[in-house]
Structure formats: structure tokens, C-alpha cells
Amino acid sequence: MTIETIQKVLTRELPGAAAHALMTPEPHYVKGVEGRHPHPPVDSAVLLLLIPYRKEWVIPFIQRTSVGKYHGGQIALPGGKVEPEDVNARGAALRECHEEIGVKTKDITIIGSLSDVYIPLSNFNITPFIGTIPKMPNFALSKDEVEEVILIPLNDLLDDKNKTSRLLYRHDQQIVAPGYKIGDHFIWGATAMIIAELETLLKNEQ
């Protein structure tokens, strides 16, 4: 699959909620505990970075440290909230990618974006951006935020055999979390919802 093909599908009408629903945990939020915040959603952004490696595309995910208040220890895409110094959400995605895994902004070409994803737990509204770089970078991890970088082939995420679901707990309530199981790693929540939208676009192209 070429970068031109991926860039082309990103210009089409996005499936948004319909694609997100494929990977949305049930229930989506714990009533009476989540989704009740005293302030508007926090604007944030993530970067799904496509890297050419061994004749295919791989995506660097991060294993977050356990320090985070809401999403510590989870597998995610590089990203975070839009700060005052950021020009926009795109700028935030690029800055966070550099801060968290050391990829230089000048080396990244943004080829499109996906639908926003809202997280009731943390009250973050995430804008996902898709970017690419010419070759594998020398990763430099933020010790405070990132435990490790996990490189996952795009083709593995498009393979239905790698989809499953797990029973997890939030606020002592059981939830069913669909996701992608790649080796020992399980990707779920907002990150899985973002991947599901890209997957839907690419499979509709085939």
C-alpha cells in the first residue's frame, strides 16, 4: 500500500462514529462517575506516524508509564493536550511526538487527519493526525511519560485475526473492551477507535 493511496482515502468522507463504534468499550462510560466534568473538554491531539520498514508500513505506539492519572500504563499514540504555545492541534501532535519519542518535526509530513474522539474518563477531545517520515528514526524517549516504543506493522492492524475483546474494570465496574491483540500487546480504548477509522477507510479502498 502506497502513501499516495493512504493520503487519497484521508480526503474522503470520514466514517467517524460508525467506525469508532467497532472498538468502543461497553459501556462507553461509567454512569455517575465518568462524563461529569466541571469544564469543557480539553483539546488534545495524537500522531499516527507511518514509517517505511522492511517493505511495509510500521506505526510507533508508546507504552505509557504508570504515572498518568487516567491512562497510565496503556498503549497509545504519541500525543497530549494542546498547550498555549501550540498554533493548533496539528502543532500539538508534532510537538508531542518530538517530546515523547524524539522524532524531529522537520522530518514529518502530515498527510491528513481523522475524526475527533472524545474520552469521557479524562474529558479529552482528541484530534488524530496521520503523518509519515522517510526512514526509521532514532527514538529518544521521554523518561517521565514513555516506558517503551512498540513498532506494529499496519498490515497486522488490518488483519481481522488480531481483533479480540477483554473484560476490564473501571471504577469497579466490568466493561467489555474490544481491541487489537498484537503479540503480547493489547490496544484498546480511544487508540483502538482511531485505528478502526483508518482501517475502515483503507478496507473500503480495497
Side-chain angles (χ1 to χ4, degrees), residues 20-175:
H20 293 163
L22 301 172
M23 287 290 164
T24 300
E26 291 293 336
H28 185 38
Y29 67 96
V30 179
K31 292 183 178 180
V33 181
E34 299 176 1
R36 301 169 62 182
H37 300 279
H39 49 76
V42 177
D43 290 330
S44 62
V46 299
L47 183 60
L48 191 158
L49 190 62
L50 297 165
I51 305 173
Y53 183 67
R54 294 180 179 174
K55 298 183 179 181
E56 64 178 336
W57 296 106
V58 297
I59 301 167
F61 292 82
I62 60 172
Q63 176 86 49
R64 293 203 175 278
T65 62
S66 58
V67 175
K69 179 179 179 181
Y70 293 111
H71 306 293
Q74 291 184 7
I75 296 176
L77 294 165
K81 67 179 181 178
V82 179
E83 300 289 359
E85 66 266 26
D86 296 317
V87 175
N88 48 30
R90 171 178 169 150
L94 290 167
R95 175 185 53 76
E96 288 281 354
C97 188
H98 179 250
E99 290 179 357
E100 292 188 338
I101 62 174
V103 180
K104 297 177 181 178
T105 296
K106 67 179 181 64
D107 295 334
I108 300 172
T109 300
I110 298 295
I111 62 171
S113 61
L114 297 170
S115 303
D116 286 8
V117 176
Y118 175 68
I119 307 178
L121 174 62
S122 58
N123 197 34
F124 272 39
N125 188 67
I126 304 172
T127 302
F129 290 89
I130 312 295
T132 185
I133 54 176
K135 61 181 181 179
M136 187 67 67
N138 294 316
F139 295 111
L141 311 188
S142 167
K143 294 181 180 180
D144 294 333
E145 300 177 275
V146 180
E147 191 74 31
E148 66 173 319
V149 169
I150 303 164
L151 293 173
I152 297 179
L154 175 61
N155 286 334
D156 285 358
L157 297 170
L158 300 178
D159 192 335
D160 287 341
K161 74 179 182 182
N162 292 323
K163 296 178 184 177
T164 186
S165 61
R166 289 185 178 180
L167 295 178
L168 302 175
Y169 286 87
R170 287 209 313 260
H171 302 292
D172 296 324
Q173 178 173 319
Q174 189 178 81
I175 64 170

Side-chain angles (χ1 to χ4, degrees), residues 195-206:
I195 297 167
E197 184 171 41
L198 179 60
E199 178 188 1
T200 299
L201 286 168
L202 293 176
K203 286 188 173 180
N204 286 343
E205 177 69 13
Q206 295 175 353

